Amino acid sequence: MSEETKININELAGFQRKYLRGLAHGFKPIVQVGKGGITDSVILAIEQGLWDHELIKVRLIRPEDKKGAAKELAERSRAELCGLVGHMVV
């Protein structure tokens, strides 16, 4: 198998991310990231929320780089990023 055709087995497919975004549509955000940015306590709150609910929303309040923040949240909490809609991360 060539490098281009290898698939990361832990990565969600597009249809899976779309389905999960649909499930999360009616959810309220569990965690908010404000002026303090992404701190260890925010990551702990996200990990606890994922443990309790498996699928959560996180609100970003006035982020400088919302795509970068969403990616960092997912990486640091060892979660999969399903989507970013406005300032909401699923």
Side-chain angles (χ1 to χ4, degrees), residues 3-19:
E3 281 295 315
E4 295 175 14
T5 58
K6 287 185 181 177
I7 298 173
N8 184 352
I9 201 160
N10 295 328
E11 190 173 307
L12 293 173
F15 74 95
Q16 292 170 316
R17 286 191 306 273
K18 183 177 180 180
Y19 175 74

Side-chain angles (χ1 to χ4, degrees), residues 37-54:
I38 301 170
T39 62
D40 290 339
S41 61
V42 168
I43 298 301
L44 288 173
I46 290 171
E47 288 174 347
Q48 185 62 49
L50 288 169
W51 182 256
D52 293 343
H53 304 284
E54 293 183 0

